[in-house]
Amino acid sequence: MSSEAGLDAVARDTGAGKFQVAVQVAGVALMLDEPVSVGGLGSGPTPYQMLASALAACTTMTLRVYALQKGWPVTGIRTLAGHQRQAGVVPADLFTRRIEIEGELDDAQRGRLLEIADRCPVHRTLTGGARVETELAEAAAPIEPAAAHAADLEHAIRED
């Protein structure tokens, strides 16, 4: 499976089951699927689980960069994230996060890290919305390189 020029991820149906797709991203191959309970093969995470993974990873990265910048004694960060759809609520999609921070920090530092978590670029994308442009063509408009995410992290934690 080869990457398509200018795009970060390529998903191709595998022909196995209704939902199973093989994804190529950053030189890594992943299998995404839906649970058996909804007609999938259960052979990989769902797309929403991948979104939750992106939120968890970006939150952890943002907090690590901020703690290093401040010189705070953070020895470990673990972010758990999940997604659910709630009927009768707008918006129906709810992402939840639980952040565990190890290290000798006072309450003010822990509170500040909780505030900084909301500056995570993926958090901002999910809460602010994003545009999606779709076309049936091989040529796509240029996109920012993957390094732009690291710059977004640095920008997110800058003091106002």
Side-chain angles (χ1 to χ4, degrees):
M1 183 182 313
S2 64
S3 177
E4 305 285 331
L7 299 175
D8 291 327
V10 178
R12 287 188 171 75
D13 67 317
T14 64
K18 294 191 310 189
F19 301 110
Q20 188 186 73
V21 296
V23 176
Q24 182 76 30
V25 60
V28 176
L30 305 169
M31 192 72 67
L32 274 68
D33 202 351
E34 291 289 340
V36 173
S37 63
V38 297
L41 301 174
S43 62
T46 70
Y48 279 110
Q49 288 170 330
M50 292 302 295
L51 274 175
S53 297
L55 177 61
C58 186
T59 299
T60 301
M61 290 174 185
T62 301
L63 295 179
R64 171 55 63 199
V65 169
Y66 187 81
L68 286 170
Q69 177 186 8
K70 291 294 189 180
W72 290 353
V74 173
T75 58
I77 302 167
R78 182 174 177 238
T79 304
L80 298 82
H83 169 266
Q84 58 183 299
R85 291 192 51 86
Q86 299 177 317
V89 179
V90 176
D93 291 293
L94 172 65
F95 286 86
T96 55
R97 247 184 335 199
R98 183 174 48 202
I99 303 168
E100 300 170 359
I101 303 168
E102 299 172 8
E104 297 296 322
L105 301 171
D106 60 33
D107 290 341
Q109 290 169 318
R110 288 183 182 280
R112 183 66 178 146
L113 287 170
L114 188 58
E115 292 172 7
I116 294 298
D118 287 347
R119 292 187 179 187
C120 149
V122 171
H123 172 100
R124 287 183 168 180
T125 298
L126 289 171
T127 58
R131 294 185 338 267
V132 177
E133 295 180 357
T134 305
E135 59 185 40
L136 289 174
E138 292 183 9
I143 59 172
E144 292 185 21
H149 181 257
D152 287 347
L153 284 172
E154 293 288 343
H155 178 73
I157 63 169
R158 284 195 194 113
E159 296 291 305
D160 297 338

